[in-house]
Amino acid sequence: MPPPRTREKALRHRLAELRGPEVPAKALDARALAALAANPGCRRRAILDGAGVNKAALASALGAPSVFGQSQFAFVRGNAFEAKVKADGGTELLRLAHEKLDRAAEPPAGAHVPDLTAQGPEGRTARTELALREATQAASAAPGAWTLLDHPMLALDVAGSPAFLEPDAVVVHPDGSWTVVEIKSFPMLDGAADPAKVGAAARQAAVYVLALERVAARLEPSPRVRHRILLVCPKDFSNLPTASAVDVRKQRAVTARQLDRLTRIEEIADTLPEGTCFSPELPAERLAAAVESVPATYAPECLSACELAFHCRDRSRAAGAVTRLGRPVRAELGALTTVEEVLAAARGEAGDPDDPTVAALRRAAALRAEALADAPVRVAAREVAPCR
């Protein structure tokens, strides 16, 4: 058996071949990781994200360009708001952390903001871990000390491949505990934000919490990673920051369970035909064949989370797959995987009548036929009824 280093080097070489010669890897961020964890059965997304393939460029090359992603205006506005929140050494950010999460602690004054610059993601990850260790030790030695880590780098193993993650900030409290900070540009109106956007932010922050827990587990004693994150947003229609504490224990548990279910990247790579490559520079026919060689698990939710969603939806429609109707419908239909199979079972042309799913479909079809048969009678009765 080859040593781990050799195995890892072979895997990196294999992923580079899948990505394409001289094609730079696209980093897997927390947003993509949260979306991947939400659909752990999709081997296509797992291998493409693990290999660092730019799925937006891939979708365009396949003729199904994606509209998924953040607009340039929103990106610029978000950066400007984040800079405002972190101005003056993060004074306002730490004030919000004290107010929303840790009122019993000493108010922050002159918090430490360590330099986290280093060479490459591995270097930044090591520098972040050192800064977290030093900040935790400083909190023990000097009670009342606050530390703000601006854009730290964390690593998380995803299906056997490391993903480097960059939260907006991490706060080390005076008691040595750690809090993830998410800064978003959508507003909080009267103290509440759009639930869908808050949910997406919570799922993203849960990934950071998991990565922080891996770091904490390597320290002795192990610091506490708080499961209430600080969500910072503009207040009402102004550019003034406000914040809310969001409990992400549920999202963290779901994400951890889903990531554990992901098929390991090397296992998926071993099943691919020799010479498979996902470079957008390839001819469309060869590229489509490479993508189709990896099974996908499409669902309507993919449209808001994956750049390849339009391509996968077209293929799902062409195959008549029931997954395009949504996961709840797919779960109810059991062994029936295509629309044609479902219709045939409902019409009594196929399927085991003792199967509860088939029996339910036939009963539904009978009720529908009965309702449609009665419809003309009811319409006629209304037409001849006297006006009142």
Side-chain angles (χ1 to χ4, degrees), residues 168-210:
D168 293 328
V170 171
V171 171
V172 180
H173 296 253
D175 62 358
S177 59
W178 304 346
T179 291
V180 171
V181 178
E182 273 291 283
I183 302 174
K184 298 297 184 182
S185 59
F186 57 80
M188 283 191 185
L189 304 176
D190 295 328
D194 183 341
K197 294 180 179 179
V198 173
R203 289 190 294 272
Q204 185 175 339
V207 176
Y208 299 137
V209 170
L210 281 173

Side-chain angles (χ1 to χ4, degrees), residues 8-25 47-48 50-53 161 265 269 276-279:
E8 292 174 6
K9 185 176 180 180
L11 177 60
R12 287 197 298 269
H13 179 70
R14 175 66 170 138
L15 295 180
E17 289 180 339
L18 292 174
R19 193 167 56 246
E22 301 180 359
V23 176
I47 190 65
L48 292 176
V53 175
S161 181
I265 297 298
T276 299
C277 181
F278 303 109
S279 171

Side-chain angles (χ1 to χ4, degrees), residues 97-370:
H98 175 262
E99 176 187 335
K100 300 296 182 179
L101 297 170
D102 205 356
R103 289 193 176 186
E106 290 290 329
H112 179 51
V113 183
D115 182 11
L116 302 179
T117 56
Q119 185 67 31
E122 293 86 355
R124 290 186 58 199
T125 300
R127 182 69 189 88
T128 295
E129 184 168 340
L130 177 61
L132 285 168
R133 180 185 293 110
E134 292 174 345
T136 305
Q137 293 172 350
S140 300
W146 291 75
T147 301
L148 174 64
L149 277 66
D150 186 6
H151 281 290
M153 182 68 75
L154 306 170
L156 186 64
D157 182 83
V158 181
S161 181
F164 295 100
L165 312 170
E166 189 177 7
D168 293 328
V170 171
V171 171
V172 180
H173 296 253
D175 62 358
S177 59
W178 304 346
T179 291
V180 171
V181 178
E182 273 291 283
I183 302 174
K184 298 297 184 182
S185 59
F186 57 80
M188 283 191 185
L189 304 176
D190 295 328
D194 183 341
K197 294 180 179 179
V198 173
R203 289 190 294 272
Q204 185 175 339
V207 176
Y208 299 137
V209 170
L210 281 173
L212 270 182
E213 289 177 346
R214 303 294 191 272
V215 178
R218 293 192 290 269
L219 303 184
E220 187 62 39
S222 179
R224 178 169 66 99
V225 179
R226 297 183 177 224
H227 290 156
R228 288 206 308 163
I229 63 107
L230 186 71
L231 177 62
V232 183
C233 300
K235 182 178 181 180
D236 298 326
F237 298 102
S238 70
N239 202 34
L240 298 175
T242 187
S244 175
V246 180
D247 193 325
V248 298
R249 280 178 295 183
K250 179 181 177 181
Q251 290 83 356
R252 180 223 165 270
V254 171
T255 301
R257 184 171 65 252
Q258 300 292 57
L259 290 179
D260 288 341
R261 290 176 55 198
L262 286 174
T263 306
R264 294 184 64 83
I265 297 298
E266 58 264 35
E267 294 179 15
I268 302 175
D270 289 342
T271 64
L272 300 181
E274 191 67 28
T276 299
C277 181
F278 303 109
S279 171
E281 303 299 325
L282 294 175
E285 296 80 7
R286 183 180 170 188
L287 190 58
V291 171
E292 293 304 313
S293 68
V294 191
T297 306
Y298 170 78
E301 295 87 347
C302 296
L303 293 172
S304 62
C306 182
E307 296 88 342
L308 273 180
F310 289 134
H311 172 81
C312 295
R313 183 181 64 177
D314 291 344
R315 293 295 186 272
S316 179
R317 284 175 172 174
V322 297
T323 52
R324 64 192 173 95
L325 303 177
R327 293 193 184 99
V329 175
R330 173 68 188 89
E332 291 289 338
L333 292 175
L336 304 176
T337 59
T338 67
V339 174
E340 285 300 321
E341 290 177 349
V342 173
L343 294 177
R347 291 191 295 260
E349 300 170 358
D352 182 2
D354 294 330
D355 185 337
T357 300
V358 174
L361 287 170
R362 292 180 180 177
R363 176 61 177 159
L367 291 173
R368 177 178 181 275
E370 181 181 341

